[in-house]
Amino acid sequence: MRTEHLAAEIAIIGGGPAGLMAADILSAHGHKITVYDQMPSMGRKFLLAGRGGLNLTHSEELAPFLNRYGSAKMHLENILTRFNAQDLRAWCHDLGYPTFIGSSGRIFPQCFKASPVLRTWLNRLARQGVQMRARHTWLGFSDKGALIFSSQDGTFETSPNATLLALGGASWPRMGSDGAWTKILAAEGIEILPLRPSNCGFNVNWSAYFRQKFQGQPLKRIGLKFGDTCIHAEAVITLKGIEGSGIYAISAKLREAVIGQSPQVLYVDLRPDLEIALLVQKLTVKKQGASLSNHLRKSAGLSPVAIALLREANPGLSNNAQKLAEAIKNVPVLITSPFGLERAISTAGGVKFSELDENLMLIRKPDVFIAGEMLDWEAPTGGYLLQASFATGVQAAKGILNRLPTAK
Ligand SMILES: Cc1cc2nc3c(=O)[nH]c(=O)nc-3n(C[C@H](O)[C@H](O)[C@H](O)COP(=O)(O)OP(=O)(O)OC[C@H]3O[C@@H](n4cnc5c(N)ncnc54)[C@H](O)[C@@H]3O)c2cc1C
């Protein structure tokens, strides 16, 4: 019997980077794509990610790049090799936005922002016939396996040939990804690791004086030491604790330790560039009559916020050069808990890879695929999050293409 080659109807739920990338590939192959999103417009979190500069991916070699995904590397290695940073750059260039490598190795579009990229991308998808259905919330599956949506016009069901779920994690839920899908998929018997904040700040019980006077102030060129991790970094004091790029970089380890055996001590080195002996030497000569703060500022080169942090952690700070140097190199900060998901940059946990085949199709629900931050992986900031979201969107789209007859 001859197979008739018809354009398949594919529902993509979630109009973020993962869903839109899949829509791009599948519509280019002539399939009828409808993208549903519960927000009034597509790509809200993508726009937020690109507010201060859209860090699309990273120029690092593939091997260290893959290590950024920790234990999920084994599941993402093939996917990120098949659609790597070069491919993402080429895709962005093809859209009309060449990219550049910044001084830190991070890759940005030359236009820098996400909004022009998204606008052009949505126009291309419209030209490829993709239907966009904003303000449509996916509620789950009917008994017969149809997708149930609620919209302004009421609730309805639809039964496409294939479905891609690209519903995101649960950070910044105001942008649309609220993690409500965890209940729906758990009810279908799919194993999901609890969604937890990743690339997040942490709560610290600062004194009222320190928190009020120094909230929002950056600690620049510091060292952060936690367990066997030791990095040169930056952090920011907040009303409730501490955040910033350095804290995000160690957030996975810190979070797991705090959740397991709260609280934990994080050590801050206020002069990671100076050996302790040199610091002692600098602190030995104290100008007569100089206050301790002035001495720390002039001799150890500490900023006002660094001095305040040192004093916050060491109430009876001595004038002894050796003791001062030791305190500067090891300021203990008691971390009590991670900030909530509502302010985290990304989400850890999600659909376990053991629930999926190599094309990211749910083994228990054939023709339903998963991509993006819904999956159980986490990575630091630096472009790794978007790269994996795009790459899993590509993988799922190719998986869908493999399952469907070719479109006319
Ligand atoms: C402040 C901030 C800055 C960031 N900066 C960077 C960066 O510089 N570089 C980087 O690599 N990454 C960055 N990220 C992370 C990056 O934005 C995400 O990893 C990426 O957007 C995830 O893509 P996704 O397609 O999986 O999900 P999302 O982008 O979250 O999209 C999921 C979509 O699904 C929709 N949805 C959810 N549930 C339903 C439902 N039931 N029905 C219908 N629709 C639903 C949502 O409305 C949403 O539009 C940043 C994130 C934040 C919050």
Side-chain angles (χ1 to χ4, degrees), residues 22-60:
D24 208 353
I25 294 169
L26 292 165
S27 58
H29 279 78
H31 292 298
K32 290 184 193 162
I33 311 299
T34 308
V35 180
Y36 300 90
D37 200 293
Q38 60 184 348
M39 295 302 281
S41 60
M42 305 291 153
R44 293 271 170 125
K45 195 182 272 183
F46 183 63
L47 288 177
L48 176 71
R51 208 172 41 179
L54 181 64
N55 178 200
L56 271 179
T57 184
H58 202 284
S59 59
E60 198 165 55

Side-chain angles (χ1 to χ4, degrees), residues 45 68 169-172 194-202 244 247-256 259 338-349 373 377-381 385:
K45 195 182 272 183
R68 304 287 179 175
S171 72
W172 281 80
L195 303 186
R196 300 181 308 278
S198 182
N199 294 302
C200 58
F202 288 83
I247 301 294
Y248 300 158
I250 57 168
S251 67
K253 269 193 179 169
L254 204 47
R255 178 198 65 226
E256 291 309 306
I259 290 173
F339 287 174
L341 267 164
E342 65 286 349
R343 283 289 310 278
I345 287 188
S346 60
T347 310
E373 230 183 274
W377 57 268
E378 68 177 311
T381 55
L385 301 164

Side-chain angles (χ1 to χ4, degrees), residues 119-192:
R119 205 176 317 118
T120 308
W121 194 11
L122 291 174
N123 284 337
R124 175 160 93 186
L125 293 176
R127 283 198 306 280
Q128 289 175 190
V130 176
Q131 300 287 316
M132 297 290 174
R133 300 264 184 274
R135 293 195 166 93
H136 280 61
T137 301
W138 178 57
L139 301 177
F141 300 99
S142 72
D143 291 346
K144 289 184 178 157
L147 302 169
I148 310 172
F149 287 96
S150 85
S151 73
Q152 282 162 322
D153 302 325
T155 304
F156 66 93
E157 292 184 11
T158 180
S159 298
N161 301 95
T163 300
L164 172 63
L165 302 177
L167 302 160
S171 72
W172 281 80
R174 281 184 292 135
M175 298 295 123
S177 19
D178 55 14
W181 56 264
T182 49
K183 283 197 183 119
I184 301 173
L185 292 189
E188 298 286 328
I190 288 153
E191 241 194 300
I192 299 159

